[in-house]
Amino acid sequence: MRREDVEFSSDGVTVRGWLYRPDTDEDVPAVVLAGGWCYVRELVMPYYAEAFVTAGMAALVFDYRNLGVSDGEPRQHLDPKQQIRDYQNALSFLERTPGIDNDRLGAWGISYSGGHVMILAATDPRVKAIVSQIPVIDGFRNMRRIHGTMGYRKLWDAILEDRRLRFDDPDQRLHIAHASENPEEELSSWPFPETKTTFAALQATEAPLYQNSSTMESVDLLLDYDVNYFVPRILDTPSMMIVAEGDDLTLWDLEIESYNSIPTPKKELVVLPHTSHMTLYSDQSKLAVAAEHASRWFTTHLLAK
């Protein structure tokens, strides 16, 4: 396979990524991949991209604006609407790329972007199939449950402080850790010690541009994020959801609830046993199983068309 450095404009901001291609001169389907909270392109996504290319498809992995090698300010700012726009502009880029069959485009997402691709399935008919892996479904319910009553109070105190600071001077905005090894002592967006240790290990080995930080406003925006508003519109897009058994980070009960509300009959739920949210990053064997399911789905609905 070949990997090319590519870039495209998204709302006037230069977004950069890698385009993986199979070794063929024929036009091939393509899948767009982007990451979850604070992710950069090196974080696990290349494994999935390589699996898709091995199956005969192209794969575009990119950094959202404000992250990694892409441009955009403020740095480490996660706006889900902007991120979905980046996905849409990645699709537009692929439509204009030689060697890509622009009638056979798919979208893959994990965690936060697992929710994004469900919204794409509902709002962008260019997307002919999706795989949504351990998705964030409802930001409010997710944050309320994982932080608990006292932690949620602290989170809101920080959000309101940030709003006041940004009103006076946008340059004085607050930042918050992605995760912490001591969530009782350090406020973080996702208060799970295993998240901090797993991503620290990935930063040290394969994703040096990852930062354990986002703007506080990113959490403010997350609280208004709800995939379920869009789910009733997924009428005809083949949709696979991959869930980790017992996932208490992005909450597998919310994921299955949302999956059951998808109206298209062209859907499949995969529940990975003996798997947690974070082992899908830290355990290569778990990742391989998830990649095999995703490859099968895209092969059926993109490659075999």
Side-chain angles (χ1 to χ4, degrees):
M1 66 183 70
R2 297 168 285 160
R3 192 185 80 179
E4 308 166 9
D5 290 318
V6 298
E7 62 181 47
F8 56 91
S9 178
S10 187
D11 297 335
V13 178
T14 299
V15 169
R16 298 181 178 89
W18 290 318
L19 179 60
Y20 296 76
R21 295 178 184 262
D23 190 15
T24 178
D25 294 327
E26 298 180 1
D27 288 357
V28 296
V31 178
V32 179
L33 304 88
W37 199 264
C38 295
Y39 294 17
V40 290
R41 60 183 178 175
E42 294 89 352
L43 271 166
V44 305
M45 289 179 285
Y47 295 100
Y48 290 92
E50 290 171 7
F52 301 156
V53 174
T54 299
M57 297 166 279
L60 173 59
V61 178
F62 70 92
D63 280 339
Y64 300 116
R65 70 184 81 183
N66 310 329
L67 294 172
V69 295
S70 292
D71 292 347
E73 297 287 344
R75 302 305 293 174
Q76 299 300 121
H77 182 58
L78 316 177
D79 183 324
K81 290 184 179 179
Q82 291 180 346
Q83 292 183 346
I84 291 165
R85 286 285 295 161
D86 292 345
Y87 259 110
Q88 292 170 336
N89 287 313
L91 292 166
S92 296
F93 169 77
L94 286 173
E95 284 185 311
R96 291 157 178 77
T97 300
I100 302 300
D101 184 341
N102 60 22
D103 195 41
R104 293 187 291 168
L105 302 178
W108 174 96
I110 186 170
S111 199
Y112 208 7
S113 65
H116 296 354
V117 298
M118 294 175 70
I119 295 172
L120 283 173
T123 60
D124 197 321
R126 295 176 297 178
V127 175
K128 299 302 192 292
I130 66 160
V131 172
S132 172
Q133 187 164 309
I134 50 175
V136 174
I137 297 296
D138 181 331
F140 168 74
R141 286 199 283 173
N142 212 145
M143 291 290 103
R144 181 66 184 81
R145 276 172 53 179
I146 66 175
H147 283 275
T149 299
M150 297 308 296
Y152 194 61
R153 288 182 186 179
K154 294 177 183 177
L155 189 69
W156 261 110
D157 286 344
I159 290 171
L160 293 178
E161 181 184 359
D162 178 64
R163 288 181 181 179
R164 296 181 182 110
L165 287 171
R166 286 188 288 111
F167 177 80
D168 291 330
D169 181 357
D171 291 334
Q172 298 303 310
R173 66 173 61 244
L174 296 178
H175 287 73
I176 182 172
H178 175 187
S180 171
E181 290 187 66
N182 300 293
E184 298 84 5
E185 301 173 9
E186 180 188 12
L187 188 64
S188 61
S189 303
W190 298 88
F192 299 96
E194 66 268 32
T195 299
K196 174 64 182 297
T197 55
T198 297
F199 278 87
L202 290 169
Q203 181 184 35
T205 56
E206 57 190 61
L209 294 182
Y210 163 78
Q211 296 182 42
N212 182 46
S213 173
S214 73
T215 63
M216 181 63 69
E217 188 184 4
S218 301
V219 181
D220 198 348
L221 294 169
L222 173 61
L223 290 171
D224 294 331
Y225 183 80
D226 190 351
V227 170
N228 289 315
Y229 175 80
F230 298 93
V231 165
R233 305 186 202 177
I234 306 177
L235 300 174
D236 196 44
T237 305
S239 301
M240 170 179 279
M241 183 182 289
I242 300 175
V243 171
E245 182 183 40
D247 184 354
D248 60 358
L249 274 75
T250 52
L251 308 177
W252 75 318
D253 58 310
L254 298 189
E255 294 165 347
I256 293 173
E257 174 188 294
S258 187
Y259 171 83
N260 287 334
S261 299
I262 298 173
T264 180
K266 304 172 185 176
K267 63 180 182 177
E268 181 178 340
L269 176 66
V270 176
V271 179
L272 301 178
H274 313 297
T275 306
S276 70
H277 192 99
M278 293 315 302
T279 55
L280 283 168
Y281 302 90
S282 61
D283 187 329
Q284 293 275 329
S285 66
K286 305 292 188 186
L287 190 155
V289 172
E292 182 179 354
H293 283 293
S295 295
R296 171 176 57 82
W297 191 253
F298 286 129
T299 296
T300 299
H301 295 285
L302 297 180
L303 198 60
K305 283 185 66 176

